[in-house]
C-alpha cells in the first residue's frame, strides 16, 4: 500500500456511511476558520503557480478572471509604449494580450513587418477598421474616411486622392503654408526671442497645423496661431470632442452608452463639444453653398480648391449632391487626420536636434548649399530676414527629410493603430487569428526593433536614410509611421513638405534651445504628444553664418 492510503482516515457520517478523507482527514479536527484559511491558501498557491507557469509561456502573468489586466494597469503608470516594446521583443515580434473574461480586451499585438504587410496590403479586405471602432467614433467622425470601410471609404479615398494630387490643391497648400509661416509663425517666434521668454513650441506648432488643415479642409482660417495665442472656440470644441471620443476606448461600451443615454460625465462633455463643432461646420457649409451659387463662370476658374468646395461641386453616384451631413463628416475627418500629426513630429524633431547638434549642423550645411546655388550668400539675400524657401528648394532638402523621417521612426505620430479580423486567418509568423479578434500594430515598437533596424535601432541617425547622399524611403511595412497599403496616409507628401518648410524656416533664423530640466515624456493618446509640451528659447542667427 502506498503512503497516501496509509494516512487516510475513515470517518463515520451521521447517516452511518463512512467516507475516506485522504490526506485532508486531519482538517475535520481543526476549527472551521482554520479549515477555510487552509483551503484558501491552497487555492492561492495553485492559482499563483498556474498564473506564473502561463507567464513563462505567454509573456505575462495570466490571472483567473482578470487575465493580464493587472500588468496592464501597472504599465499604465509607467511608460506604456516601452512596456509594449519590451513585451513584443521578448515574444519575438507578436504578443497575445488576454484581457478579463467577458470584456473586449483580448487582442493580438504585433510589430512584425511580415504581419504588417499581410494585414495592410495582402489581406487588406480581411482587416477593416471594423464595427467596434466605427461604433465608438461615430458621433464625432460619422461616415468619414478615417472611420469608414468598404465602399463608403473607397469613394471618399478616390475623390480625395485625385484632389490631393491636383495642381490646384498643391498650389493652395503651398500658398496657405507660406502665409501661415511668414505672417504668423515667425512673428510669434520673433516676439518670444525678443522677450527672451520660454515658449511651448509644441503648442505653437499644434496651432499652426490646426489653422493649416482647416484652410485645406474648409477653406477657412480659424486663427489659432496669433500673437497672444488666443483660445478659439471651434479649436477648443474640436479638441474636447476628440479627447472625449478617445475616452470611450478605455470605458466599457455598456457604461459609456449608459452615460450617453443619461447625458452624464464624459458623454455630456462630448455632446456639448460636438454641438459646437457641428454649428461651426454647418455654418461654413451654408455660407459656402451661398457663395458658390452666386459664382459666375469667370469666378469658377479662379475657384477655391479646398476639400469642402471640391466635394460640393461633385455629385454622388446617383447624380445627387452630397448631403450637408456627409460634407461635415468629410471635413471633420480631414481635420482630425491632418491636425496634430505633423506638429507633434516636428516637436520631437526639435527635441532630438537639441541633443544632436551634429545633425543640426548638417541641416544648416544643406540649407547653405541650396541658398548658395540660388546665388545668395549663406545669410540669404544679403542676410534677408524675409527669405522664403521655394518649393523646389524644399524638395532638394534631402538630409532634412532624412532627419525628419528618423524622428518619425523613433516617435511615430500615431504610435499604435488597430484593425479587426473579418474571417479566421493566420499571420505569416504563425499567429492564429479568430474572426472578430482585434489586431494592434505597434508603430512605436517597430521603430525600436533590433531585428528591423539593427543594433543601433535606438540611436538618432538620419544617415541611415541616405544612399550616396540621396534620401531613400523604406518599405511602408518596416517604416509604418504613415501606414501602408491602400490606406497609406493621403497627406504624406504634403506632411513632408509642411514639416520641411517649417523646420527650414525656423532653423534658418534661430537655434532652438530646450529649457534645461524641462521634462519630456510621451503622453498616452492616439497621437504621441509630449505630455508637458516642449518649452524652448530661441537664439537668433542674425548676421552670423549658418554653419560655424
Ligand atoms: C507627420 C505627419 C503625418 C503622419 C505621421 C500621418 C500618419 C497617418 C497614419 C498612420 C494614417 C493611418 C491611420 C488609420 O488608418 O488609422 C494616416 C491616414 C490618413 N492621413 Fe495622415 N499622417 C500625417 C499627416 C497628414 C496630413 C497633414 C493629412 C492631411 C492634410 C493627412 C491625411 C490623412 C488621411 C486623409 C488619412 C486616411 C487615409 C485612409 O484611411 O484612406 N495626414 N495618416
Amino acid at each position: 500500500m502506498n503512503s497516501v492510503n496509509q494516512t487516510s482516515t475513515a470517518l463515520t457520517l451521521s447517516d452511518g456511511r463512512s467516507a475516506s478523507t485522504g490526506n485532508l482527514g486531519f482538517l475535520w479536527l481543526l476549527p472551521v476558520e482554520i479549515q477555510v484559511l487552509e483551503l484558501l491558501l491552497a487555492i492561492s498557491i495553485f492559482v499563483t503557480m498556474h498564473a506564473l507557469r502561463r507567464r513563462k509561456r505567454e509573456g505575462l502573468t495570466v490571472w483567473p478572471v482578470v487575465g493580464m489586466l493587472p500588468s496592464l494597469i501597472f504599465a499604465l503608470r509607467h511608460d506604456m509604449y516601452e512596456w509594449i516594446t519590451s513585451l513584443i521583443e521578448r515574444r519575438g515580434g507578436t504578443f497575445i494580450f488576454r484581457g478579463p473574461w467577458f470584456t473586449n480586451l483580448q487582442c493580438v499585438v504585433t510589430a512584425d513587418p511580415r504581419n504588417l504587410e499581410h494585414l495592410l496590403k495582402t489581406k487588406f479586405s480581411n482587416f477593416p477598421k471594423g464595427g467596434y471602432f466605427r461604433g465608438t467614433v461615430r458621433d464625432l467622425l460619422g461616415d468619414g474616411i478615417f472611420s469608414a470601410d468598404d465602399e463608403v471609404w473607397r469613394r471618399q479615398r478616390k475623390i480625395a486622392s485625385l484632389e490631393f494630387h491636383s495642381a490646384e490643391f498643391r498650389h493652395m497648400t503651398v500658398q496657405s503654408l507660406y502665409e501661415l509661416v511668414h505672417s504668423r509663425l515667425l512673428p510669434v517666434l520673433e516676439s518670444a526671442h525678443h522677450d527672451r521668454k520660454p515658449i511651448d513650441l509644441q503648442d505653437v506648432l499644434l496651432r499652426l497645423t490646426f489653422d493649416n488643415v482647416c484652410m485645406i479642409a474648409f477653406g477657412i482660417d480659424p486663427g489659432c496661431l496669433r500673437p497672444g495665442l488666443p483660445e478659439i472656440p471651434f479649436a477648443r470644441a474640436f479638441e474636447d470632442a476628440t479627447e472625449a471620443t478617445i475616452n470611450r476606448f478605455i470605458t466599457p461600451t455598456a457604461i459609456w452608452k449608459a452615460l450617453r443615454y443619461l447625458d452624464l460625465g464624459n458623454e455630456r462633455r462630448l455632446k456639448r463639444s460636438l454641438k459646437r463643432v457641428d454649428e461651426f461646420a454647418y455654418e461654413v457649409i451654408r455660407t459656402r453653398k451661398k457663395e458658390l451659387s452666386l459664382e459666375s463662370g469667370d469666378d469658377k476658374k479662379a475657384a477655391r480648391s479646398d476639400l469642402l468646395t471640391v466635394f460640393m461641386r461633385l455629385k454622388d453616384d446617383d447624380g445627387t449632391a452630397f448631403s450637408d451631413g456627409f460634407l461635415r463628416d468629410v471635413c471633420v475627418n480631414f481635420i482630425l487626420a491632418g491636425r496634430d500629426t505633423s506638429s507633434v513630429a516636428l516637436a520631437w524633431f526639435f527635441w532630438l536636434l537639441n541633443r544632436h547638434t551634429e545633425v543640426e549642423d548638417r541641416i544648416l550645411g544643406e540649407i547653405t548649399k541650396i541658398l548658395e546655388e540660388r546665388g545668395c550668400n549663406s545669410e540669404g539675400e544679403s542676410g534677408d530676414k524675409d527669405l522664403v524657401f521655394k518649393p523646389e528648394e524644399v524638395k532638394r532638402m534631402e538630409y532634412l527629410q532624412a532627419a525628419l523621417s528618423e524622428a518619425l521612426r523613433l516617435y511615430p505620430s500615431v504610435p499604435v493603430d488597430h484593425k479587426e479580423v473579418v474571417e479566421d486567418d493566420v499571420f505569416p509568423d504563425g499567429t492564429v487569428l479568430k474572426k472578430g479578434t482585434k489586431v494592434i500594430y505597434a508603430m512605436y515598437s517597430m521603430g525600436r526593433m533590433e531585428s528591423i533596424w539593427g543594433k543601433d535601432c535606438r540611436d538618432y541617425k538620419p544617415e541611415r536614410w541616405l544612399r550616396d547622399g540621396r534620401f531613400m524611403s523604406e518599405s511602408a511595412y518596416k517604416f509604418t509611421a504613415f501606414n501602408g497599403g491602400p490606406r497609406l496616409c493621403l497627406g504624406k507628401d504634403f506632411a513632408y513638405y509642411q514639416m520641411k518648410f517649417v523646420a527650414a524656416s525656423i532653423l534658418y533664423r534661430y537655434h532652438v534651445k530646450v529649457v534645461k530640466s524641462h521634462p519630456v515624456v510621451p503622453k498616452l493618446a492616439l497621437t504621441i504628444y509630449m505630455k508637458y509640451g516642449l518649452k524652448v528659447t530661441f537664439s537668433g542667427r542674425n548676421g552670423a553664418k549658418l554653419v560655424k
Side-chain angles (χ1 to χ4, degrees):
M1 208 183 246
N2 65 31
S3 60
V4 173
N5 283 341
Q6 278 165 3
T7 53
S8 303
T9 313
L11 291 175
T12 305
L13 302 177
S14 53
D15 60 2
R17 286 179 293 122
S18 67
S20 171
T21 57
N23 281 333
L24 296 177
F26 67 94
L27 279 179
W28 293 93
L29 307 171
L30 299 171
V32 175
E33 291 83 356
I34 297 189
Q35 290 173 30
V36 172
L37 262 178
E38 292 233 351
L39 200 65
L40 284 178
L41 189 67
I43 292 173
S44 317
I45 291 172
F46 172 77
V47 165
T48 308
M49 295 211 13
H50 184 66
L52 290 175
R53 251 204 319 273
R54 289 190 71 182
R55 178 192 172 88
K56 231 177 170 182
R57 216 174 47 227
E58 306 198 28
L60 279 184
T61 314
V62 190
W63 299 101
V65 187
V66 291
M68 295 173 172
L69 189 64
S71 308
L72 178 67
I73 292 172
F74 182 75
L76 282 171
R77 296 173 53 223
H78 300 276
D79 188 336
M80 176 80 168
Y81 301 124
E82 282 298 327
W83 179 73
I84 296 177
T85 306
S86 70
L87 262 178
I88 292 180
E89 243 168 1
R90 282 210 307 272
R91 305 300 301 160
T94 302
F95 167 73
I96 300 173
F97 183 82
R98 302 196 190 280
W101 298 351
F102 314 115
T103 67
N104 46 23
L105 268 176
Q106 326 287 335
C107 55
V108 170
V109 190
T110 189
D112 185 326
R114 293 169 301 164
N115 296 348
L116 266 284
E117 182 160 4
H118 183 85
L119 84 101
L120 293 176
K121 188 177 83 173
T122 321
K123 295 290 266 325
F124 174 72
S125 54
N126 200 32
F127 296 91
K129 295 247 167 157
Y132 168 71
F133 178 78
R134 212 167 16 264
T136 312
V137 301
R138 185 180 297 282
D139 290 332
L140 173 64
L141 298 181
D143 287 324
I145 191 166
F146 225 69
S147 64
D149 283 317
D150 306 321
E151 213 30 58
V152 182
W153 164 76
R154 204 162 288 119
R155 195 177 43 156
Q156 286 178 67
R157 172 94 193 180
K158 203 169 137 198
I159 300 173
S161 185
L162 279 174
E163 170 64 1
F164 265 63
H165 292 104
S166 75
E168 294 82 11
F169 183 81
R170 280 173 197 259
H171 176 74
M172 185 262 289
T173 50
V174 166
Q175 194 56 28
S176 63
L177 188 60
Y178 157 70
E179 278 161 24
L180 274 173
V181 169
H182 284 270
S183 348
R184 307 258 284 280
L185 173 70
L186 294 176
V188 166
L189 301 192
E190 183 49 36
S191 132
H193 170 233
H194 179 264
D195 299 345
R196 294 174 192 280
K197 268 198 115 157
I199 189 170
D200 180 356
L201 185 60
Q202 179 176 254
D203 177 47
V204 169
L205 293 167
L206 286 169
R207 288 166 179 270
L208 171 87
T209 52
F210 188 80
D211 286 349
N212 200 191
V213 78
C214 284
M215 286 157 118
I216 291 169
F218 276 133
I220 289 274
D221 175 6
C224 294
L225 182 57
R226 284 191 186 286
L229 306 178
E231 184 162 306
I232 303 295
F234 172 62
R236 160 89 3 240
F238 201 95
E239 178 89 36
D240 285 351
T242 313
E243 229 176 271
T245 301
I246 292 164
N247 283 343
R248 282 184 175 175
F249 285 99
I250 48 168
T251 313
T253 310
I255 293 188
W256 71 251
K257 284 195 171 164
L259 289 175
R260 182 173 65 177
Y261 180 75
L262 298 167
D263 193 21
L264 290 173
N266 185 62
E267 291 301 313
R268 188 180 170 83
R269 181 174 153 222
L270 177 60
K271 194 169 157 189
R272 289 183 170 188
S273 45
L274 276 177
K275 188 164 172 274
R276 274 175 282 144
V277 168
D278 288 353
E279 277 167 8
F280 180 87
Y282 288 123
E283 179 55 36
V284 176
I285 293 169
R286 253 194 314 276
T287 314
R288 186 66 42 80
K289 272 192 172 160
K290 228 185 250 165
E291 283 169 15
L292 293 183
S293 69
L294 296 174
E295 262 182 359
S296 68
D298 280 350
D299 295 337
K300 274 183 190 156
K301 276 187 206 141
R304 293 163 165 274
S305 44
D306 56 88
L307 279 169
L308 176 61
T309 309
V310 169
F311 271 80
M312 265 184 186
R313 290 212 166 98
L314 294 168
K315 298 269 184 280
D316 206 344
D317 289 342
D318 57 9
T320 53
F322 291 120
S323 71
D324 287 3
F326 180 74
L327 293 171
R328 173 259 180 225
D329 291 350
V330 169
C331 295
V332 166
N333 276 259
F334 270 86
I335 293 175
L336 186 79
R339 182 179 75 122
D340 293 354
T341 35
S342 15
S343 38
V344 166
L346 276 169
W348 286 107
F349 162 78
F350 277 108
W351 176 71
L352 284 163
L353 272 199
N354 221 249
R355 319 177 101 211
H356 297 273
T357 47
E358 74 287 358
V359 176
E360 183 172 0
D361 286 348
R362 279 198 72 173
I363 295 171
L364 294 174
E366 182 175 72
I367 293 177
T368 307
K369 195 159 161 260
I370 285 170
L371 290 180
E372 278 167 2
E373 281 164 20
R374 195 202 263 202
C376 305
N377 60 33
S378 58
E379 293 150 38
E381 282 145 0
S382 329
D384 184 0
K385 285 214 70 183
D386 298 327
L387 181 135
V388 179
F389 290 105
K390 299 174 186 164
E392 59 275 17
E393 290 171 339
V394 174
K395 209 169 156 206
R396 291 206 324 265
M397 295 177 184
E398 301 203 31
Y399 186 80
L400 178 55
Q401 177 138 354
L404 286 162
S405 303
E406 184 66 348
L408 275 165
R409 180 181 72 85
L410 290 170
Y411 296 97
S413 310
V414 181
V416 291
D417 208 338
H418 101 290
K419 300 278 182 193
E420 211 170 284
V421 184
V422 176
E423 294 296 340
D424 292 359
D425 204 339
V426 183
F427 265 156
D429 72 354
T431 309
V432 175
L433 304 162
K434 288 274 162 222
K435 174 182 174 167
T437 305
K438 286 187 199 67
V439 178
I440 299 198
Y441 48 111
M443 285 96 139
Y444 179 92
S445 308
M446 290 193 80
R448 286 147 202 269
M449 289 283 143
E450 207 178 303
S451 54
I452 303 179
W453 302 100
K455 282 220 172 315
D456 59 357
C457 57
R458 284 184 175 259
D459 299 344
Y460 180 62
K461 275 194 181 168
E463 286 70 18
R464 77 173 83 236
W465 294 86
L466 301 173
R467 306 274 179 284
D468 302 325
R470 305 290 317 264
F471 176 81
M472 290 291 286
S473 57
E474 271 294 354
S475 144
Y477 311 107
K478 194 171 150 185
F479 174 60
T480 40
F482 290 97
N483 221 35
R487 281 194 106 130
L488 176 78
C489 169
L490 254 182
K492 183 178 172 189
D493 291 348
F494 169 64
Y496 267 120
Y497 179 77
Q498 189 188 42
M499 291 187 294
K500 286 165 79 178
F501 186 77
V502 171
S505 304
I506 296 178
L507 288 170
Y508 169 72
R509 292 165 175 85
Y510 306 105
H511 166 65
V512 182
K513 193 163 170 36
V514 177
V515 170
K516 219 173 164 188
S517 75
H518 173 73
V520 172
V521 283
K523 184 177 165 182
L524 200 61
L526 284 191
T527 312
I528 195 163
Y529 302 97
M530 289 176 172
K531 194 167 178 181
Y532 306 104
L534 185 66
K535 284 268 186 289
V536 301
T537 53
F538 299 93
S539 40
R541 296 191 202 274
N542 312 6
K545 271 197 169 279
L546 284 180
V547 190
K548 293 150 250 164

